[in-house]
Amino acid sequence: MLKFIGIDIKKHHKEVVEFRKDSFRVSFGDASNFIATDYLRWLEEKIAEFPEGFVLIEEDKEYIGQLELSIREYEGKNIGYIHLYYLIPEKRGHGIGEKLYQYALQFFEKNKVNEYHLRVSPTNTGAIRFYRKVGMEETGSEVGGKVIRMRGYL
């Protein structure tokens, strides 16, 4: 059974740094641009604002993933935003992502937004396939082609 556990930076800093670093490797080929102290500072601010949006996923007393969700303004309206959607490699492709997705939808619904976005590396084809499967659509490339913005609706 999966548990969604609010991130406590003091308790979980090792896990969140490793998961975020791995997401850089998967998305961009390496984690050389990842700065842990900057990430932890940002994470602390976001957790204070959206505590239910920043969670670790636990299965059988092991952390297997992480979600980072918030609400932000985009083109004059509030939208949901997925900062990180992460599962450890051995848990990918087994249907667990759908449960994380359902958690995200509940978070966005609770926060009264009907549209949500994320950005994904164009080389992360597995993630793009998953996002399309759950109904998200590509809206274009950003950051000089380094990422693709995708959106979905509740």
Side-chain angles (χ1 to χ4, degrees):
M1 182 166 142
L2 292 184
K3 291 182 186 174
F4 294 85
I5 297 168
I7 294 172
D8 176 336
I9 291 178
K10 287 185 176 102
K11 183 178 176 184
H12 302 123
H13 72 277
K14 182 179 154 220
E15 291 84 4
V16 298
V17 165
E18 187 49 46
F19 289 170
R20 183 52 113 156
K21 206 184 273 189
D22 189 45
S23 79
F24 266 66
R25 285 189 289 267
V26 170
S27 295
F28 306 110
D30 70 66
S32 60
N33 289 332
F34 177 77
I35 301 168
T37 53
D38 291 351
Y39 170 63
L40 289 170
R41 191 174 316 116
W42 173 85
L43 190 60
E44 190 168 34
E45 290 170 11
K46 287 298 188 183
I47 290 169
E49 196 175 358
F50 300 102
E52 292 177 359
F54 289 78
V55 294
L56 283 168
I57 293 80
E58 183 184 86
E59 181 182 58
D60 299 327
K61 300 186 186 205
E62 177 190 2
Y63 295 121
I64 63 161
Q66 183 173 331
L67 272 176
E68 295 178 1
L69 311 167
S70 73
I71 308 302
R72 59 168 39 175
E73 188 179 312
Y74 180 75
E75 296 182 345
K77 64 183 170 187
N78 283 342
I79 62 161
Y81 194 80
I82 302 170
H83 299 274
L84 181 64
Y85 194 101
Y86 178 82
L87 282 171
I88 59 174
E90 55 271 25
K91 295 296 182 177
R92 297 174 193 156
H94 299 286
I96 297 170
E98 181 65 37
K99 293 178 179 155
L100 275 64
Y101 180 69
Q102 291 304 317
Y103 182 96
L105 292 181
Q106 289 171 4
F107 174 84
F108 297 141
E109 188 175 339
K110 191 177 202 178
N111 283 279
K112 298 177 176 30
V113 294
N114 60 8
E115 182 177 335
Y116 54 93
H117 294 206
L118 57 75
R119 297 194 305 185
V120 60
S121 167
T123 61
N124 194 347
T125 55
I128 293 169
R129 259 192 319 277
F130 174 77
Y131 300 140
R132 284 182 183 147
K133 183 177 129 188
V134 297
M136 296 187 79
E137 61 188 14
E138 296 175 27
T139 64
S141 70
E142 297 181 358
V143 194
K146 290 182 183 176
V147 295
I148 298 168
R149 181 175 287 266
M150 297 186 77
R151 79 170 156 225
Y153 298 96
L154 295 179

